[in-house]
Amino acid sequence: MQAGSSEPRSPLQPSSRQMELLAQMPSRKQIQKEYFAELDAWARQANQVSGEKRKKAIKRIKAWLKANEPSRLLMLSSLKLTSLPPLPDSLQKLLAC
């Protein structure tokens, strides 16, 4: 039983501190919005001379994310990229040569 409480708290019921911490966590939508902003910033840094296809890379990344299959191969090859974009944390397979 909790101190100052007449009824025991269920082990599955979050404490008020846990609820407070959960409320402070960014939503999945907010995380995705921030990630897409990072991708857009990376795309704006494209090297026009080398013929990089960064917008195409972003389209492939977004399609990969939409598929929601972390073990699926993300192909960023043949896009003449001089640097890699920020990659999703769940990415397991990448082809980028």
Side-chain angles (χ1 to χ4, degrees), residues 8-16 18-19 22:
R9 182 175 55 86
S10 164
L12 299 177
Q13 181 182 5
S15 69
S16 58
Q18 289 170 325
M19 292 300 292
L22 285 171

Side-chain angles (χ1 to χ4, degrees), residues 20-87:
E20 181 182 317
L21 291 172
L22 285 171
Q24 293 173 8
M25 292 177 61
S27 67
R28 183 171 188 227
K29 188 174 183 178
Q30 181 62 31
I31 292 169
Q32 186 179 52
K33 181 180 176 181
E34 290 173 10
Y35 176 65
F36 288 166
E38 288 180 38
L39 286 177
D40 290 340
W42 174 79
R44 287 190 298 274
Q45 299 168 357
N47 183 338
Q48 302 301 324
V49 177
S50 71
E52 286 185 296
K53 299 175 183 168
R54 291 189 177 200
K55 288 183 181 181
K56 196 169 198 174
I58 290 173
K59 282 185 177 182
R60 290 183 184 181
I61 291 169
K62 287 181 177 181
W64 182 89
L65 287 167
K66 187 175 182 180
N68 198 23
E69 297 177 36
S71 62
R72 181 177 167 197
L73 177 66
L74 173 58
M75 293 188 58
L76 299 181
S77 59
S78 70
L79 299 178
K80 300 181 181 180
L81 301 177
T82 58
S83 69
L84 288 174
L87 297 170

